[in-house]
Amino acid sequence: MWPIRSALFVPAHRRDWVAKALRVKPGAVVLDIEDSVPPAHKPAAMALLKEEIAELKAAATGAIVRIQPIGDHSPAEIAAA
């Protein structure tokens, strides 16, 4: 995975976008649960992370999770990742 040649940001609540990102063979995919995910979809985004990370790992592609700024919600986001 290192060095990362390129990274694509994917809103983590858009499960189908992970497969689309893999088609262009990025060095890593940034699964975003911060500003690209509407507040109502954040729980779904966190629930999908393990599945999305597994898909990226199977494709030998790096997985990075972008969380919200540190706050009360951080423990749940980190646990999901």
Side-chain angles (χ1 to χ4, degrees):
M1 176 176 130
W2 301 100
I4 295 174
R5 172 182 54 82
S6 61
L8 292 177
F9 280 71
V10 173
H13 73 295
R14 298 299 309 259
R15 178 75 183 90
D16 56 324
W17 287 18
V18 173
K20 289 179 181 180
L22 286 172
R23 284 190 229 152
V24 296
K25 301 183 187 315
V29 171
V30 180
L31 300 167
D32 189 9
I33 57 175
E34 205 235 346
D35 62 350
S36 71
V37 178
H41 294 282
K42 288 190 189 294
M46 290 191 304
L48 290 170
L49 283 176
K50 288 183 182 174
E51 189 177 333
E52 293 167 341
I53 291 168
E55 182 177 357
L56 294 168
K57 183 177 179 181
T61 301
I64 300 167
V65 178
R66 179 180 180 221
I67 66 171
Q68 299 179 74
I70 301 297
D72 294 339
H73 44 43
S74 298
E77 293 177 349
I78 292 167

